[in-house]
Amino acid sequence: MPSTSRLRVASVNVNGVRAAYRRGMGEWLQARDVDLLALQEVRASTEDLQALLGDEWSILHDPATAKGRAGVAIASRRRASIHRVELGAHDFDTAGRWLEADYEVGGRIVTLVSAYVHSGEAETPKQVEKFKFLDAMQARLPELQAHSELALVVGDLNVGHRTLDIRNWKGNVKRAGFLPEERAYFDRFVGAEGSDDHGLGWVDIGRRFAGEVDGPYTWWSFRGKAFDNDTGWRIDYQLATPALADLVTDYTVDRAATYDARFSDHSPVVVDYAI
């Protein structure tokens, strides 16, 4: 039998990487022994990112078209063999929201996507843009699986799929992030609750690993007592192809011990794969 090695993939919306480092992100990263790091809402230059992470990291970065907004990146201990940033129609601006990269791990190709879906706003042009992105994502997922049986889409996908994914779901059914139309996309990605139809066949690693429990949440508002009361949303995902999902050995949401110890309003999602 071929030997396997642990591949640790961490994903986090940093809510501005420079601010995150001022709040202690560097200490978290140093302690976590991460192999592939996917970031969203970087809101900084590539030079800033390299200076913060250090020269031991190979960095791919797709900044947003609008300066100071969005931005996705993948940092790795090994160099990518190829990377891509195109998603959807040519006239659809997805800059800073979708970054794909291929890595050779144990003689196999692992395709990793760092994704940052629009937050949206119900019944506004912002929501139209979000649906455009989800449409493009839905079209791309089968292509990714055809490209590599070990493919992974991670990041802030800005949708709570099920009632288990939001503490106060009843009060949010008409708000962006929990609209029925948004949740239907996730039914198509990973399958609907209680159905034998697995949609496009992707696996929500967080829900598979945690089981039928509330959360574990990954985002809490900085306002009020949301974090202290665990009034959160699970909107940060690792979605894997079935072959890769079967290789998961551990799933963790790195929730800070206290409100003051947070370096972002999102917590990192860390998953170990035996490849």
Side-chain angles (χ1 to χ4, degrees):
M1 294 287 292
S3 62
T4 61
S5 59
R6 184 217 69 192
L7 178 71
R8 178 165 290 171
V9 180
S11 174
V12 60
N13 179 322
V14 292
N15 195 15
V17 70
R18 289 169 296 189
Y21 261 76
R22 288 195 296 270
R23 295 180 180 130
M25 178 183 165
E27 289 79 1
W28 164 80
L29 183 58
Q30 189 171 20
R32 275 311 246 138
D33 193 23
V34 172
D35 299 300
L36 296 175
L37 173 67
L39 305 176
Q40 303 87 46
E41 213 169 344
V42 172
R43 302 206 310 254
S45 70
T46 304
E47 291 74 20
D48 287 334
L49 200 50
Q50 191 74 67
L52 290 169
L53 290 174
D55 291 337
E56 67 270 26
W57 290 92
S58 174
I59 295 173
L60 299 173
H61 179 215
D62 185 34
T65 303
K67 189 176 180 180
R69 297 181 59 195
V72 288
I74 300 174
S76 61
R77 303 293 190 177
R78 64 197 83 199
R79 289 195 174 275
S81 57
I82 190 171
H83 72 279
R84 300 164 294 273
V85 296
E86 296 82 10
L87 180 72
H90 293 301
D91 60 351
F92 179 39
D93 180 10
T94 58
R97 294 189 179 275
W98 186 268
L99 175 61
E100 304 175 11
D102 286 358
Y103 296 92
E104 185 177 335
V105 182
R108 307 176 75 181
I109 294 297
V110 175
T111 298
L112 176 64
V113 180
S114 180
Y116 178 41
V117 175
H118 305 65
S119 56
E121 186 177 338
E123 299 180 354
T124 72
K126 291 182 179 179
Q127 193 65 31
V128 173
E129 289 298 294
K130 185 174 187 177
F131 286 138
K132 282 184 181 178
F133 191 96
L134 290 169
D135 282 336
M137 184 173 167
Q138 181 175 290
R140 182 62 181 148
L141 288 178
E143 297 171 351
L144 282 172
Q145 191 164 357
H147 169 73
S148 172
E149 68 171 359
L150 304 182
L152 186 61
V153 177
V154 308
D156 178 0
L157 304 187
N158 259 318
V159 177
H161 181 202
R162 295 175 52 190
T163 56
L164 293 174
D165 296 322
I166 300 180
R167 172 56 60 85
N168 290 334
W169 67 267
K170 290 181 180 178
N172 286 286
V173 292
K174 295 183 179 180
R175 289 186 57 194
F178 201 62
L179 297 173
E181 301 93 329
E182 295 173 330
R183 297 166 62 201
Y185 280 95
F186 280 70
D187 288 345
R188 293 190 285 272
F189 297 164
V190 303
E193 180 180 4
S195 172
D196 291 332
D197 180 3
H198 298 296
L200 295 176
W202 290 69
V203 179
D204 176 355
I205 298 302
R207 182 55 57 213
R208 174 185 278 192
F209 204 88
E212 297 294 299
V213 300
D214 291 337
Y217 306 123
T218 63
W219 176 84
W220 304 259
S221 172
F222 270 134
R223 295 176 298 200
K225 296 287 187 178
F227 185 79
D228 294 337
N229 297 332
D230 202 23
T231 305
W233 296 49
R234 191 179 73 96
I235 55 176
D236 301 88
Y237 293 82
Q238 295 205 15
L239 304 182
T241 54
L244 186 56
D246 288 343
L247 303 180
V248 174
T249 59
D250 191 51
Y251 168 91
T252 308
V253 175
D254 280 2
R255 190 185 193 276
T258 65
Y259 179 97
D260 292 340
R262 307 167 73 189
F263 63 78
S264 171
D265 51 351
H266 295 254
S267 287
V269 176
V270 185
V271 181
D272 290 348
Y273 300 86
I275 298 177

